[in-house]
Amino acid sequence: MAGPLEGVRVLDLATLFAGPMAAMFLGDFGAEVIKVEHPSRPDPSRGHGAVKDGVGLWWKVLGRNKRAITLNLSTPEGQDLLVELARSADVIIENFRPGTLERWNLGYDRLREANPGLVLARVTGFGQYGPYARRPGFGTLAEAMSGFAAMTGEPDGPPTLPPFGLADGIAALATAYAVMTALRSRDATGTGQVVDLAIIEPILTVLGAQPTAYDQLGIVPPRTGNRSVNNAPRNTYRCSDGSWVAVSTSSQNIAERVMRLVGRPDVVDEPWFATGAGRVEHGEELDAAVAAWVARHTREEVLAAFEAAEAAVAPIYDVRDVMADPQFAALDTLTSVPDPELGSVRMQNVLFRLSETPGGIRWAGRPHGADTGEVLGALGVPEAELAALREKGVI
């Protein structure tokens, strides 16, 4: 299972969560990823969330396809070993506060001297410069500062944060894209470069044209709950069996099909129904009609009727439903990975399918420092020196 990124070597120095996830995406498609952790302070994701038999389950996903080594980068010996690793690397991903690598004598100037083609991806909350650059930065702060939280939640409720690392996940995807862009440039020019990715920025980008709408029209998006400011009906609706479904009417013909299905064909001929904005102005009426119809049917009945009408609907799933869904099964979205610690672990598969050079999960997250001897031994470090480094706390 080679993968299209076979031959690309990545050093993952980052922790929680965007940087390591970006490295995971690269590893999923064949990159050799070496996870570098502190000898006594491992990546906090090893203990983040659910734990089974002392083994962190989030780490099994985030650490997949990575070899795990330890280096104390605050020591001269650890710094020298990282430079030796960088000589044969294509990418380093780090998320220390700006200035930390430089304080450790591991700035890009030294790394580039060892390897002119090296791409250094720096993933921080606020970027490498500016008034907030040295602040601690987490995805939650990006969700707050981007405008996401301000527009999320019920109109009369507080701003709402997602219950998972949304900004981190978006930043991880952006980092992987940035790394591949920089590698494409390196392949053309022979010269590496620094990627400066601020977690506050990718989530702002995916929020759409909000800055442009404010710039041109002074529009500040309100909180609308599950409704949309662009079309209606669009909401979640409770079925007669207590389950929930989501309905979307982003296109005119779908909106017409939904309203005919729920017994309100009369509204389709109203002049205001011809535009999304017009339907939003009558959202209460449209929502009430859909909600009343859905409430008289079970979820299976609703899904079947919408499918027959070629209208857009989806069940509101929890993880149990996701694990049992036939569409996810057909796509192999969830796959089982053999693991020496847990036997077998089910997790999300690689992000997309390539017809000729597919990616894959070779192994789940490895134990802390499991590959230190092998990786440093390949640099020519003899066993006696490795033992001395362990004694000093360098590895």
Side-chain angles (χ1 to χ4, degrees):
M1 192 186 298
L5 297 184
E6 183 181 21
V8 174
R9 192 178 221 204
V10 179
L11 304 181
D12 174 11
L13 278 55
T15 60
L16 288 177
F17 278 103
M21 186 175 288
M24 181 197 81
F25 291 142
L26 299 173
D28 283 351
F29 286 91
E32 178 195 4
V33 181
I34 298 174
K35 176 71 177 181
V36 181
E37 299 172 84
H38 191 279
S40 61
R41 297 192 300 274
D43 189 321
S45 65
R46 289 183 177 275
H48 188 86
V51 174
K52 180 182 178 183
D53 299 333
V55 178
L57 301 184
W58 192 193
W59 169 252
K60 286 299 176 183
V61 179
L62 196 65
R64 70 193 193 190
N65 292 331
K66 301 178 184 181
R67 290 196 287 170
I69 74 168
T70 57
L71 280 181
N72 186 342
L73 299 180
S74 66
T75 65
E77 298 94 333
Q79 295 157 10
D80 290 344
L81 286 169
L82 184 75
V83 171
E84 290 306 308
L85 286 170
R87 292 185 192 279
S88 61
D90 298 280
V91 180
I92 292 179
I93 300 176
E94 64 96 0
N95 70 339
F96 302 109
R97 290 197 204 182
T100 301
L101 283 187
E102 287 75 12
R103 190 172 72 249
W104 290 340
N105 193 28
L106 290 171
Y108 189 58
D109 287 346
R110 183 185 182 191
L111 296 171
R112 181 167 53 186
E113 183 179 354
N115 181 354
L118 182 70
V119 172
L120 175 62
R122 315 193 77 167
V123 185
T124 57
F126 303 103
Q128 294 297 306
Y129 55 89
Y132 305 157
R134 295 189 61 80
R135 291 182 181 180
F138 297 100
T140 296
L141 308 188
E143 290 146 9
M145 291 180 62
S146 63
F148 172 85
M151 63 179 296
T152 304
E154 293 299 324
D156 57 350
T160 302
L161 296 166
F164 65 99
L166 176 63
D168 280 310
I170 298 171
L173 289 166
T175 301
Y177 169 55
V179 165
M180 296 308 301
T181 302
L183 287 177
R184 176 66 181 88
S185 175
R186 189 277 311 269
D187 291 345
T189 66
T191 303
Q193 60 186 296
V194 175
V195 172
D196 176 8
L197 189 135
I199 297 174
I200 57 174
E201 292 182 306
I203 187 171
L204 177 59
T205 297
V206 302
L207 288 179
Q210 292 184 22
T212 307
Y214 178 76
D215 174 66
Q216 297 295 307
L217 300 170
I219 294 173
V220 177
R223 286 192 288 280
T224 59
N226 290 319
R227 291 183 177 176
S228 169
V229 296
N230 300 311
N231 61 78
R234 191 262 199 180
N235 213 324
T236 59
Y237 306 94
R238 190 169 189 174
C239 305
S240 64
D241 56 8
S243 59
W244 293 79
V245 296
V247 172
S248 176
T249 57
S250 295
S251 67
Q252 180 68 25
N253 61 345
I254 295 294
E256 293 174 4
R257 291 171 189 169
V258 168
M259 297 317 298
R260 290 190 177 104
L261 172 63
V262 302
R264 288 297 307 274
D266 55 297
V267 299
V268 172
D269 296 325
E270 294 288 346
W272 52 262
F273 196 86
T275 66
R279 296 197 302 275
V280 168
E281 291 181 359
H282 293 77
E284 290 285 351
E285 179 183 0
L286 300 179
D287 250 356
V290 176
W293 184 89
V294 169
R296 297 195 298 269
H297 299 82
T298 66
R299 185 171 75 177
E300 291 307 312
E301 291 170 343
V302 171
L303 297 179
F306 268 71
E307 183 173 356
E310 297 184 0
V313 69
I316 303 293
Y317 276 175
D318 62 24
V319 66
R320 295 168 296 184
D321 302 307
V322 171
M323 301 289 270
D325 184 85
Q327 182 62 34
F328 287 129
L331 296 175
D332 196 27
T333 304
L334 301 163
T335 191
S336 293
V337 180
D339 182 73
E341 293 183 290
L342 298 176
S344 179
V345 184
R346 290 191 76 191
M347 64 179 68
Q348 301 94 323
N349 210 335
V350 300
L351 275 177
F352 46 85
R353 288 159 291 282
L354 298 179
S355 64
E356 303 303 321
T357 54
I361 302 172
R362 301 180 293 276
W363 60 81
R366 303 267 289 150
H368 181 229
D371 304 294
T372 303
E374 178 187 349
V375 171
L376 297 185
L379 290 178
V381 182
E383 183 57 43
E385 185 174 343
L386 290 175
L389 291 171
R390 289 191 183 94
E391 183 69 22
K392 293 180 65 175
V394 176
I395 63 174

